[in-house]
Amino acid sequence: MDVAVLTYSDMPELAEFERPLLPALRALGLDARPVVWDDPTVDFKTVRLAVVRSTWDSHLRRDTFVAWAQKVGRLTKLHNPADVLRWNTHKFYLRELEEKGIPVTPTAWVEREGTLDLEIVARARGWDTLVLKPAVSAGAVETHIIPRAEAAAGNALVTRLSATSELMVQPYLRAFESEGERSYIFFDGVFSHAVRRPPTLKSAPRGFSEPTLFAPDAKELKLSERVLEAMGAPLLYARVDVATDNEGVTRLQEVEVTEPALFLNLDAEAPHRLARAIAAKL
């Protein structure tokens, strides 16, 4: 097999918006197939390159996933590389990027088994509503939105969650309700396409029900490029998510270089751009 396109057991044929990658790779003459990342019957020594895509249970078993990536990275070419996957699957990477000058949404960090008084944080920082979540998470699992008036009661959540995980506390960004997030997608360090991701609340305006392509904003694109520069060598794929904070400043929300949705179904040429980037790694 030339390319194993990695997914997980609940989605063995890949997420729908990732599937266009397979025919694009085959059009280049490559034998490309979806492979469940932790399938014990797969011999990765027989795979020329493995590319992480819809491995959407990895956050539930981060230690297992990171160990698997290190092992597979010794058997074949793995993209993104194992050390990148380890770094990116823990949100403390945002703290590192902030130290390098990247404007990140303000965050209060809680170490494992640590404590934090949410009422004091909210009052000191002027946050009306807080977002509390584990530093290893995805899909809003154990993400809690806490109004300042309920912050004192929310301290019990801090105690419970910090028993098993580091935590992060951020202000709730009101722009999520009106404009959502913007995702800037890169292949091998080169910008490919931008996607506006809809607000998640029922109050979202009409026209934002589905992710859509949009013309990139020059300042946001520059910020996204700065994020990738701060990370070092170009990666096979990267998605930089930005949003507007409560003061109107565009800030990095996340940089997804593990298993982000790349919305290949929204741009007819995007699967071919990614396929060519993969072929170049061979």
Side-chain angles (χ1 to χ4, degrees):
M1 190 190 316
D2 293 315
V3 182
V5 184
L6 301 171
T7 184
Y8 79 122
S9 58
D10 285 356
M11 202 168 285
E13 298 302 318
L14 299 176
E16 182 177 356
F17 39 71
E18 300 297 319
R19 292 174 194 163
L21 177 59
L22 295 173
L25 287 166
R26 291 165 184 160
L28 296 177
L30 299 174
D31 177 11
R33 310 174 207 171
V35 170
V36 174
W37 70 272
D38 58 349
D39 182 346
T41 68
V42 177
D43 181 2
F44 281 97
K45 292 193 298 292
T46 67
V47 175
R48 294 179 64 197
L49 184 148
V51 56
V52 178
R53 291 307 320 118
S54 307
T55 59
W56 290 347
D57 59 347
S58 58
H59 67 288
L60 301 175
R61 296 180 289 151
R62 177 178 180 256
D63 290 346
T64 299
F65 179 73
V66 168
W68 166 89
Q70 292 172 334
K71 177 181 177 181
V72 170
R74 293 191 293 266
L75 300 175
T76 186
K77 295 178 180 178
L78 177 67
H79 291 282
N80 284 319
D83 59 341
V84 172
L85 302 181
R86 177 194 54 76
W87 177 82
N88 189 232
T89 49
H90 194 297
K91 296 296 194 302
F92 274 15
Y93 74 80
L94 290 169
R95 188 162 60 180
E96 295 181 26
L97 292 175
E98 186 175 35
E99 291 170 353
K100 293 181 178 181
I102 300 299
V104 174
T105 297
T107 306
W109 302 97
V110 183
E111 299 294 335
R112 185 172 300 198
E113 299 184 344
T115 60
L116 185 71
D117 190 315
L118 296 181
E119 191 172 27
I120 291 176
V121 170
R123 184 169 60 249
R125 301 205 181 197
W127 296 349
D128 294 329
T129 304
L130 311 177
V131 179
L132 168 68
K133 59 184 176 181
V136 176
S137 65
V141 174
E142 288 286 15
T143 295
H144 301 271
I145 299 176
I146 304 171
R148 186 193 290 195
E150 301 173 15
N155 289 335
L157 278 172
V158 173
T159 300
R160 177 174 68 82
L161 295 175
S162 69
T164 57
S165 175
E166 296 83 4
L167 308 177
M168 54 196 300
V169 181
Q170 298 178 320
Y172 177 77
L173 303 188
R174 293 185 294 274
F176 284 148
E177 300 180 23
S178 58
E179 61 185 36
E181 291 181 271
R182 283 82 69 194
S183 294
Y184 289 77
I185 297 166
F186 296 78
F187 301 141
D188 202 16
V190 178
F191 173 70
S192 171
H193 55 293
V195 175
R196 190 181 302 277
R197 298 165 61 205
T200 56
L201 302 184
K202 293 181 180 179
S203 60
R206 297 184 65 178
F208 282 88
S209 59
E210 298 291 341
T212 55
L213 287 177
F214 76 103
D217 175 87
K219 291 183 178 179
E220 292 184 351
L221 179 56
K222 182 63 177 177
L223 171 58
S224 301
E225 292 171 341
R226 283 178 55 202
V227 170
L228 297 186
E229 289 170 4
M231 293 171 60
L235 301 172
L236 175 61
Y237 56 86
R239 194 187 82 199
V240 181
D241 296 339
V242 302
T244 307
D245 73 9
N246 295 334
E247 285 70 49
V249 177
T250 300
R251 293 184 180 270
L252 173 68
Q253 298 304 297
E254 294 187 270
V255 54
E256 298 274 11
V257 294
T258 301
E259 28 73 305
L262 298 174
F263 304 105
L264 300 180
N265 60 322
L266 298 181
D267 182 333
E269 291 304 312
H272 300 283
R273 289 192 287 268
L274 178 54
R276 290 193 293 271
I278 291 171
K281 299 294 185 183
L282 292 170

